[in-house]
Amino acid sequence: MEKLTVLYEDNHIIVVIKPQNVPSQEDKTKDKDMLNLVKEYIKEKYNKEGNVYVGLVHRLDRPTGGIMIFAKTSKAAGRLSEQIRENKIEKTYYAVTSSVPKDKQKELENYLKKDEKNNIVKIVPRSEAGAKHAKLYYKILQTRNDKALLEVKLLTGRSHQIRVQFAGINCPLVGDGKYGKEASSNNLGLWAGRLEFVHPVTKQKMIFAAPPPADKEPWSQFYIDKYFIR
């Protein structure tokens, strides 16, 4: 497990990078997870005794890396959760698809339903019980060797949404054994690269950006850093 990378911290929130293949919170594997890593960081940095409060306000799938925000107070957690419910937190992802989408840019709109028992999400008719509306916008940034680097604006926050919707247009993400035809890889082509929200206390507009690891597949096949100001 890599050392925790902190992008920003104050008395109310902490913004960090989740490495790929680290759970957002503890699961049945009992592997190190982000929630407990943030708690350990705060406990050690501020020499705190006993339990440390850290609020998990959103999640990234285990194989997805990128920016996560945690709350350091219950008030901040409540206000951030409200922004998420009202779809006021803007999330931009970078994805690498195993084939090039037909359209250079497009909105994808589907209805999704999760099979909780098997932890898999399917595209279903709108009329099906339990179906949830899912919408995203993408544009192709680069293509290389029949693969495409995409910028994806998530307009709804459904489980496995990006992975399922691109599989639905026959462009599954690189390394996605769950929704694609190739074997699963430790380097899924999905990264949460930009997060915009209103600070829960100061009300200041907060914008964070962090590129995926440019030295690792599949990102190393593209010129990633050009989209991020250093």
Side-chain angles (χ1 to χ4, degrees):
M1 177 62 212
E2 304 165 37
K3 183 180 177 183
L4 189 69
T5 301
V6 179
L7 299 180
Y8 176 83
E9 180 185 4
D10 61 23
N11 291 332
H12 313 285
I13 63 173
I14 180 169
V15 182
V16 301
I17 297 291
K18 182 182 99 62
Q20 292 187 280
N21 307 307
V22 176
S24 292
Q25 65 183 131
E26 188 174 89
D27 60 19
K28 61 186 178 183
T29 66
K30 302 297 182 184
D31 291 340
K32 276 284 190 181
D33 64 280
M34 292 304 297
L35 182 59
N36 280 307
L37 285 165
V38 172
K39 286 182 179 180
E40 289 171 10
Y41 163 85
I42 291 172
K43 195 168 186 175
E44 182 179 329
K45 182 175 180 178
Y46 299 102
N47 198 25
K48 291 198 172 189
E49 297 182 0
N51 289 330
V52 172
Y53 177 85
V54 176
L56 179 73
V57 295
H58 72 119
R59 297 170 179 80
L60 292 176
D61 292 345
R62 180 173 181 141
T64 305
I67 304 171
M68 286 189 74
I69 175 174
F70 292 87
K72 294 173 71 175
T73 67
S74 56
K75 179 177 17 177
R79 290 177 178 176
L80 287 169
S81 295
E82 184 179 358
Q83 287 187 55
I84 289 170
R85 284 194 300 273
E86 294 176 355
N87 217 27
K88 290 182 177 177
I89 293 185
E90 295 183 36
K91 302 172 185 176
T92 303
Y93 290 76
Y94 295 84
V96 178
T97 53
S98 56
S99 54
V100 178
K102 182 176 65 175
D103 299 294
K104 289 184 177 180
Q105 53 187 35
K106 190 178 183 180
E107 273 189 358
L108 298 183
E109 195 165 7
N110 300 102
Y111 284 82
L112 307 181
K113 184 175 181 179
K114 186 170 186 179
D115 177 347
E116 297 287 352
K117 182 179 178 182
N118 297 305
N119 190 31
I120 195 164
V121 177
K122 295 180 180 179
I123 295 175
V124 297
R126 178 177 182 174
S127 57
E128 187 164 324
K132 293 184 177 181
H133 179 236
K135 190 175 181 180
L136 61 78
Y137 168 82
Y138 77 83
K139 65 178 179 180
I140 297 175
L141 300 177
Q142 297 173 35
T143 59
R144 186 175 175 84
N145 299 330
D146 297 325
K147 296 181 175 66
L149 172 68
L150 313 178
E151 181 183 86
V152 182
K153 298 280 188 181
L154 204 54
L155 304 178
T156 56
R158 305 303 179 199
S159 182
H160 299 185
Q161 180 181 335
I162 295 173
R163 299 163 68 185
V164 176
Q165 288 195 275
F166 280 105
I169 60 167
N170 296 315
C171 295
L173 303 192
V174 168
D176 194 350
K178 187 183 286 280
Y179 297 104
K181 294 178 180 178
E182 61 183 78
S184 293
S185 164
N186 287 331
N187 299 319
L188 176 70
L190 186 59
W191 185 266
R194 187 177 173 92
L195 197 64
E196 300 181 38
F197 61 94
V198 174
H199 192 286
V201 177
T202 68
K203 307 304 180 187
Q204 180 183 356
K205 178 79 170 180
M206 310 291 285
I207 302 174
F208 297 96
D215 60 336
K216 293 184 179 178
E217 291 285 348
W219 314 107
S220 58
Q221 297 183 42
F222 301 93
Y223 300 107
I224 292 288
D225 282 356
K226 67 185 288 187
Y227 306 105
F228 295 86
I229 299 172
R230 290 288 186 180

mmCIF file of all heavy atoms in Angstrom, residues 16-47:
data_model
loop_
_atom_site.group_PDB
_atom_site.id
_atom_site.type_symbol
_atom_site.label_atom_id
_atom_site.label_comp_id
_atom_site.label_asym_id
_atom_site.label_seq_id
_atom_site.Cartn_x
_atom_site.Cartn_y
_atom_site.Cartn_z
ATOM 1 N N VAL A 16 -8.054 13.326 -1.090
ATOM 2 C CA VAL A 16 -6.930 12.402 -1.266
ATOM 3 C C VAL A 16 -7.021 11.686 -2.610
ATOM 4 O O VAL A 16 -8.038 11.757 -3.295
ATOM 5 C CB VAL A 16 -6.894 11.350 -0.125
ATOM 6 C CG1 VAL A 16 -6.757 12.019 1.229
ATOM 7 C CG2 VAL A 16 -8.138 10.460 -0.155
ATOM 8 N N ILE A 17 -5.938 10.989 -2.947
ATOM 9 C CA ILE A 17 -5.923 10.120 -4.132
ATOM 10 C C ILE A 17 -6.104 8.675 -3.692
ATOM 11 O O ILE A 17 -5.352 8.171 -2.857
ATOM 12 C CB ILE A 17 -4.589 10.237 -4.897
ATOM 13 C CG1 ILE A 17 -4.382 11.652 -5.436
ATOM 14 C CG2 ILE A 17 -4.537 9.221 -6.049
ATOM 15 C CD1 ILE A 17 -5.316 12.042 -6.545
ATOM 16 N N LYS A 18 -7.099 8.016 -4.265
ATOM 17 C CA LYS A 18 -7.280 6.579 -4.024
ATOM 18 C C LYS A 18 -6.510 5.814 -5.094
ATOM 19 O O LYS A 18 -6.810 5.942 -6.281
ATOM 20 C CB LYS A 18 -8.756 6.185 -4.074
ATOM 21 C CG LYS A 18 -8.972 4.690 -3.769
ATOM 22 C CD LYS A 18 -10.431 4.299 -3.858
ATOM 23 C CE LYS A 18 -10.795 3.654 -5.169
ATOM 24 N NZ LYS A 18 -10.091 2.377 -5.465
ATOM 25 N N PRO A 19 -5.524 5.031 -4.709
ATOM 26 C CA PRO A 19 -4.861 4.187 -5.707
ATOM 27 C C PRO A 19 -5.840 3.147 -6.259
ATOM 28 O O PRO A 19 -6.828 2.781 -5.596
ATOM 29 C CB PRO A 19 -3.744 3.503 -4.908
ATOM 30 C CG PRO A 19 -3.581 4.320 -3.667
ATOM 31 C CD PRO A 19 -4.938 4.865 -3.366
ATOM 32 N N GLN A 20 -5.583 2.673 -7.449
ATOM 33 C CA GLN A 20 -6.415 1.616 -8.004
ATOM 34 C C GLN A 20 -6.290 0.354 -7.157
ATOM 35 O O GLN A 20 -5.236 0.078 -6.568
ATOM 36 C CB GLN A 20 -6.006 1.329 -9.455
ATOM 37 C CG GLN A 20 -6.348 2.492 -10.388
ATOM 38 C CD GLN A 20 -6.101 2.172 -11.840
ATOM 39 O OE1 GLN A 20 -4.977 2.223 -12.300
ATOM 40 N NE2 GLN A 20 -7.168 1.878 -12.577
ATOM 41 N N ASN A 21 -7.388 -0.386 -7.083
ATOM 42 C CA ASN A 21 -7.461 -1.687 -6.402
ATOM 43 C C ASN A 21 -7.415 -1.598 -4.879
ATOM 44 O O ASN A 21 -7.162 -2.591 -4.204
ATOM 45 C CB ASN A 21 -6.364 -2.639 -6.920
ATOM 46 C CG ASN A 21 -6.407 -2.757 -8.436
ATOM 47 O OD1 ASN A 21 -7.462 -3.052 -8.998
ATOM 48 N ND2 ASN A 21 -5.299 -2.477 -9.094
ATOM 49 N N VAL A 22 -7.685 -0.409 -4.340
ATOM 50 C CA VAL A 22 -7.854 -0.238 -2.900
ATOM 51 C C VAL A 22 -9.336 0.050 -2.656
ATOM 52 O O VAL A 22 -9.897 0.939 -3.296
ATOM 53 C CB VAL A 22 -6.987 0.924 -2.365
ATOM 54 C CG1 VAL A 22 -7.250 1.150 -0.878
ATOM 55 C CG2 VAL A 22 -5.508 0.643 -2.599
ATOM 56 N N PRO A 23 -9.998 -0.677 -1.745
ATOM 57 C CA PRO A 23 -11.425 -0.431 -1.496
ATOM 58 C C PRO A 23 -11.656 0.958 -0.900
ATOM 59 O O PRO A 23 -10.803 1.488 -0.180
ATOM 60 C CB PRO A 23 -11.809 -1.517 -0.486
ATOM 61 C CG PRO A 23 -10.695 -2.506 -0.490
ATOM 62 C CD PRO A 23 -9.473 -1.771 -0.913
ATOM 63 N N SER A 24 -12.812 1.551 -1.192
ATOM 64 C CA SER A 24 -13.171 2.831 -0.580
ATOM 65 C C SER A 24 -13.422 2.658 0.913
ATOM 66 O O SER A 24 -13.091 3.527 1.713
ATOM 67 C CB SER A 24 -14.420 3.409 -1.252
ATOM 68 O OG SER A 24 -14.144 3.789 -2.585
ATOM 69 N N GLN A 25 -14.038 1.542 1.282
ATOM 70 C CA GLN A 25 -14.268 1.214 2.683
ATOM 71 C C GLN A 25 -14.072 -0.281 2.870
ATOM 72 O O GLN A 25 -13.980 -1.033 1.892
ATOM 73 C CB GLN A 25 -15.660 1.648 3.133
ATOM 74 C CG GLN A 25 -16.796 0.921 2.446
ATOM 75 C CD GLN A 25 -18.148 1.428 2.872
ATOM 76 O OE1 GLN A 25 -19.009 1.715 2.051
ATOM 77 N NE2 GLN A 25 -18.356 1.551 4.166
ATOM 78 N N GLU A 26 -14.005 -0.709 4.090
ATOM 79 C CA GLU A 26 -13.699 -2.113 4.374
ATOM 80 C C GLU A 26 -14.716 -3.045 3.726
ATOM 81 O O GLU A 26 -15.920 -2.787 3.758
ATOM 82 C CB GLU A 26 -13.685 -2.340 5.894
ATOM 83 C CG GLU A 26 -13.196 -3.722 6.287
ATOM 84 C CD GLU A 26 -13.061 -3.879 7.797
ATOM 85 O OE1 GLU A 26 -14.057 -4.268 8.438
ATOM 86 O OE2 GLU A 26 -11.973 -3.590 8.313
ATOM 87 N N ASP A 27 -14.225 -4.120 3.129
ATOM 88 C CA ASP A 27 -15.109 -5.128 2.558
ATOM 89 C C ASP A 27 -14.706 -6.498 3.098
ATOM 90 O O ASP A 27 -13.896 -6.606 4.021
ATOM 91 C CB ASP A 27 -15.084 -5.084 1.020
ATOM 92 C CG ASP A 27 -13.683 -5.340 0.438
ATOM 93 O OD1 ASP A 27 -12.818 -5.892 1.161
ATOM 94 O OD2 ASP A 27 -13.455 -4.999 -0.731
ATOM 95 N N LYS A 28 -15.282 -7.533 2.533
ATOM 96 C CA LYS A 28 -15.065 -8.885 3.071
ATOM 97 C C LYS A 28 -13.621 -9.356 2.956
ATOM 98 O O LYS A 28 -13.201 -10.272 3.657
ATOM 99 C CB LYS A 28 -16.002 -9.879 2.382
ATOM 100 C CG LYS A 28 -15.810 -9.991 0.879
ATOM 101 C CD LYS A 28 -16.871 -10.887 0.263
ATOM 102 C CE LYS A 28 -16.712 -10.967 -1.255
ATOM 103 N NZ LYS A 28 -17.783 -11.792 -1.872
ATOM 104 N N THR A 29 -12.832 -8.704 2.081
ATOM 105 C CA THR A 29 -11.424 -9.111 1.942
ATOM 106 C C THR A 29 -10.581 -8.662 3.130
ATOM 107 O O THR A 29 -9.498 -9.203 3.370
ATOM 108 C CB THR A 29 -10.794 -8.508 0.668
ATOM 109 O OG1 THR A 29 -10.724 -7.085 0.810
ATOM 110 C CG2 THR A 29 -11.604 -8.867 -0.567
ATOM 111 N N LYS A 30 -11.085 -7.632 3.846
ATOM 112 C CA LYS A 30 -10.346 -7.038 4.974
ATOM 113 C C LYS A 30 -9.029 -6.390 4.522
ATOM 114 O O LYS A 30 -8.138 -6.142 5.338
ATOM 115 C CB LYS A 30 -10.069 -8.078 6.075
ATOM 116 C CG LYS A 30 -11.319 -8.739 6.636
ATOM 117 C CD LYS A 30 -12.217 -7.728 7.319
ATOM 118 C CE LYS A 30 -13.454 -8.413 7.917
ATOM 119 N NZ LYS A 30 -14.397 -7.440 8.511
ATOM 120 N N ASP A 31 -8.901 -6.108 3.218
ATOM 121 C CA ASP A 31 -7.719 -5.399 2.728
ATOM 122 C C ASP A 31 -7.748 -3.964 3.238
ATOM 123 O O ASP A 31 -8.807 -3.432 3.586
ATOM 124 C CB ASP A 31 -7.698 -5.388 1.195
ATOM 125 C CG ASP A 31 -7.456 -6.761 0.605
ATOM 126 O OD1 ASP A 31 -6.940 -7.631 1.330
ATOM 127 O OD2 ASP A 31 -7.794 -6.966 -0.587
ATOM 128 N N LYS A 32 -6.579 -3.327 3.244
ATOM 129 C CA LYS A 32 -6.512 -1.925 3.637
ATOM 130 C C LYS A 32 -7.475 -1.108 2.779
ATOM 131 O O LYS A 32 -7.511 -1.270 1.558
ATOM 132 C CB LYS A 32 -5.094 -1.393 3.450
ATOM 133 C CG LYS A 32 -4.163 -1.687 4.610
ATOM 134 C CD LYS A 32 -4.453 -0.770 5.796
ATOM 135 C CE LYS A 32 -3.370 -0.900 6.863
ATOM 136 N NZ LYS A 32 -3.650 -0.033 8.025
ATOM 137 N N ASP A 33 -8.254 -0.236 3.399
ATOM 138 C CA ASP A 33 -9.229 0.556 2.667
ATOM 139 C C ASP A 33 -9.004 2.044 2.920
ATOM 140 O O ASP A 33 -8.346 2.442 3.885
ATOM 141 C CB ASP A 33 -10.643 0.169 3.074
ATOM 142 C CG ASP A 33 -10.924 0.480 4.537
ATOM 143 O OD1 ASP A 33 -10.505 -0.301 5.412
ATOM 144 O OD2 ASP A 33 -11.535 1.529 4.806
ATOM 145 N N MET A 34 -9.563 2.884 2.059
ATOM 146 C CA MET A 34 -9.310 4.319 2.126
ATOM 147 C C MET A 34 -9.850 4.957 3.396
ATOM 148 O O MET A 34 -9.199 5.822 3.993
ATOM 149 C CB MET A 34 -9.918 5.013 0.900
ATOM 150 C CG MET A 34 -9.230 4.684 -0.408
ATOM 151 S SD MET A 34 -7.449 5.029 -0.412
ATOM 152 C CE MET A 34 -7.440 6.804 -0.168
ATOM 153 N N LEU A 35 -11.039 4.560 3.816
ATOM 154 C CA LEU A 35 -11.622 5.162 5.015
ATOM 155 C C LEU A 35 -10.712 4.973 6.218
ATOM 156 O O LEU A 35 -10.416 5.929 6.952
ATOM 157 C CB LEU A 35 -13.006 4.566 5.278
ATOM 158 C CG LEU A 35 -13.764 5.129 6.488
ATOM 159 C CD1 LEU A 35 -13.983 6.634 6.354
ATOM 160 C CD2 LEU A 35 -15.108 4.413 6.651
ATOM 161 N N ASN A 36 -10.221 3.764 6.416
ATOM 162 C CA ASN A 36 -9.348 3.508 7.558
ATOM 163 C C ASN A 36 -7.960 4.117 7.375
ATOM 164 O O ASN A 36 -7.329 4.539 8.354
ATOM 165 C CB ASN A 36 -9.249 2.004 7.828
ATOM 166 C CG ASN A 36 -10.453 1.485 8.601
ATOM 167 O OD1 ASN A 36 -10.796 2.015 9.653
ATOM 168 N ND2 ASN A 36 -11.105 0.462 8.071
ATOM 169 N N LEU A 37 -7.491 4.192 6.125
ATOM 170 C CA LEU A 37 -6.203 4.839 5.878
ATOM 171 C C LEU A 37 -6.252 6.323 6.226
ATOM 172 O O LEU A 37 -5.309 6.878 6.798
ATOM 173 C CB LEU A 37 -5.794 4.659 4.419
ATOM 174 C CG LEU A 37 -5.281 3.264 4.051
ATOM 175 C CD1 LEU A 37 -5.247 3.096 2.537
ATOM 176 C CD2 LEU A 37 -3.900 3.023 4.629
ATOM 177 N N VAL A 38 -7.372 6.972 5.890
ATOM 178 C CA VAL A 38 -7.523 8.393 6.224
ATOM 179 C C VAL A 38 -7.611 8.570 7.741
ATOM 180 O O VAL A 38 -7.015 9.488 8.315
ATOM 181 C CB VAL A 38 -8.756 8.995 5.514
ATOM 182 C CG1 VAL A 38 -9.027 10.413 6.002
ATOM 183 C CG2 VAL A 38 -8.549 9.002 4.000
ATOM 184 N N LYS A 39 -8.346 7.675 8.405
ATOM 185 C CA LYS A 39 -8.432 7.740 9.869
ATOM 186 C C LYS A 39 -7.057 7.582 10.512
ATOM 187 O O LYS A 39 -6.698 8.317 11.437
ATOM 188 C CB LYS A 39 -9.372 6.638 10.391
ATOM 189 C CG LYS A 39 -10.846 6.910 10.143
ATOM 190 C CD LYS A 39 -11.698 5.792 10.722
ATOM 191 C CE LYS A 39 -13.185 6.061 10.518
ATOM 192 N NZ LYS A 39 -14.032 4.971 11.068
ATOM 193 N N GLU A 40 -6.280 6.626 10.013
ATOM 194 C CA GLU A 40 -4.928 6.400 10.557
ATOM 195 C C GLU A 40 -4.035 7.621 10.325
ATOM 196 O O GLU A 40 -3.251 8.006 11.204
ATOM 197 C CB GLU A 40 -4.307 5.162 9.903
ATOM 198 C CG GLU A 40 -4.946 3.852 10.343
ATOM 199 C CD GLU A 40 -4.461 2.667 9.529
ATOM 200 O OE1 GLU A 40 -3.477 2.838 8.754
ATOM 201 O OE2 GLU A 40 -5.053 1.580 9.647
ATOM 202 N N TYR A 41 -4.167 8.226 9.147
ATOM 203 C CA TYR A 41 -3.370 9.419 8.824
ATOM 204 C C TYR A 41 -3.678 10.552 9.809
ATOM 205 O O TYR A 41 -2.768 11.201 10.341
ATOM 206 C CB TYR A 41 -3.677 9.841 7.384
ATOM 207 C CG TYR A 41 -3.255 11.246 7.031
ATOM 208 C CD1 TYR A 41 -1.951 11.516 6.617
ATOM 209 C CD2 TYR A 41 -4.165 12.304 7.112
ATOM 210 C CE1 TYR A 41 -1.561 12.817 6.300
ATOM 211 C CE2 TYR A 41 -3.782 13.599 6.793
ATOM 212 C CZ TYR A 41 -2.483 13.851 6.395
ATOM 213 O OH TYR A 41 -2.107 15.133 6.081
ATOM 214 N N ILE A 42 -4.962 10.808 10.032
ATOM 215 C CA ILE A 42 -5.361 11.900 10.931
ATOM 216 C C ILE A 42 -4.934 11.607 12.369
ATOM 217 O O ILE A 42 -4.429 12.486 13.081
ATOM 218 C CB ILE A 42 -6.888 12.122 10.844
ATOM 219 C CG1 ILE A 42 -7.246 12.693 9.465
ATOM 220 C CG2 ILE A 42 -7.379 13.044 11.962
ATOM 221 C CD1 ILE A 42 -8.730 12.774 9.183
ATOM 222 N N LYS A 43 -5.125 10.359 12.766
ATOM 223 C CA LYS A 43 -4.759 9.964 14.133
ATOM 224 C C LYS A 43 -3.269 10.176 14.385
ATOM 225 O O LYS A 43 -2.854 10.699 15.422
ATOM 226 C CB LYS A 43 -5.131 8.490 14.339
ATOM 227 C CG LYS A 43 -5.147 8.038 15.791
ATOM 228 C CD LYS A 43 -5.810 6.680 15.903
ATOM 229 C CE LYS A 43 -5.964 6.290 17.360
ATOM 230 N NZ LYS A 43 -6.710 5.026 17.513
ATOM 231 N N GLU A 44 -2.461 9.793 13.397
ATOM 232 C CA GLU A 44 -1.010 9.924 13.549
ATOM 233 C C GLU A 44 -0.565 11.382 13.436
ATOM 234 O O GLU A 44 0.238 11.860 14.243
ATOM 235 C CB GLU A 44 -0.317 9.086 12.472
ATOM 236 C CG GLU A 44 1.196 9.101 12.570
ATOM 237 C CD GLU A 44 1.854 8.235 11.503
ATOM 238 O OE1 GLU A 44 1.249 7.224 11.090
ATOM 239 O OE2 GLU A 44 2.975 8.579 11.088
ATOM 240 N N LYS A 45 -1.097 12.112 12.463
ATOM 241 C CA LYS A 45 -0.671 13.495 12.236
ATOM 242 C C LYS A 45 -0.982 14.394 13.428
ATOM 243 O O LYS A 45 -0.176 15.265 13.802
ATOM 244 C CB LYS A 45 -1.342 14.050 10.973
ATOM 245 C CG LYS A 45 -0.905 15.479 10.658
ATOM 246 C CD LYS A 45 -1.476 15.965 9.339
ATOM 247 C CE LYS A 45 -1.020 17.401 9.057
ATOM 248 N NZ LYS A 45 -1.528 17.896 7.759
ATOM 249 N N TYR A 46 -2.168 14.195 14.014
ATOM 250 C CA TYR A 46 -2.592 15.080 15.095
ATOM 251 C C TYR A 46 -2.489 14.426 16.476
ATOM 252 O O TYR A 46 -2.980 14.968 17.462
ATOM 253 C CB TYR A 46 -4.030 15.551 14.829
ATOM 254 C CG TYR A 46 -4.154 16.317 13.537
ATOM 255 C CD1 TYR A 46 -4.681 15.710 12.397
ATOM 256 C CD2 TYR A 46 -3.694 17.628 13.436
ATOM 257 C CE1 TYR A 46 -4.774 16.398 11.195
ATOM 258 C CE2 TYR A 46 -3.788 18.331 12.231
ATOM 259 C CZ TYR A 46 -4.321 17.707 11.124
ATOM 260 O OH TYR A 46 -4.415 18.392 9.929
ATOM 261 N N ASN A 47 -1.873 13.236 16.500
ATOM 262 C CA ASN A 47 -1.650 12.533 17.769
ATOM 263 C C ASN A 47 -2.950 12.380 18.566
ATOM 264 O O ASN A 47 -3.012 12.667 19.765
ATOM 265 C CB ASN A 47 -0.593 13.274 18.608
ATOM 266 C CG ASN A 47 -0.006 12.383 19.698
ATOM 267 O OD1 ASN A 47 -0.013 11.159 19.579
ATOM 268 N ND2 ASN A 47 0.477 13.007 20.761
#
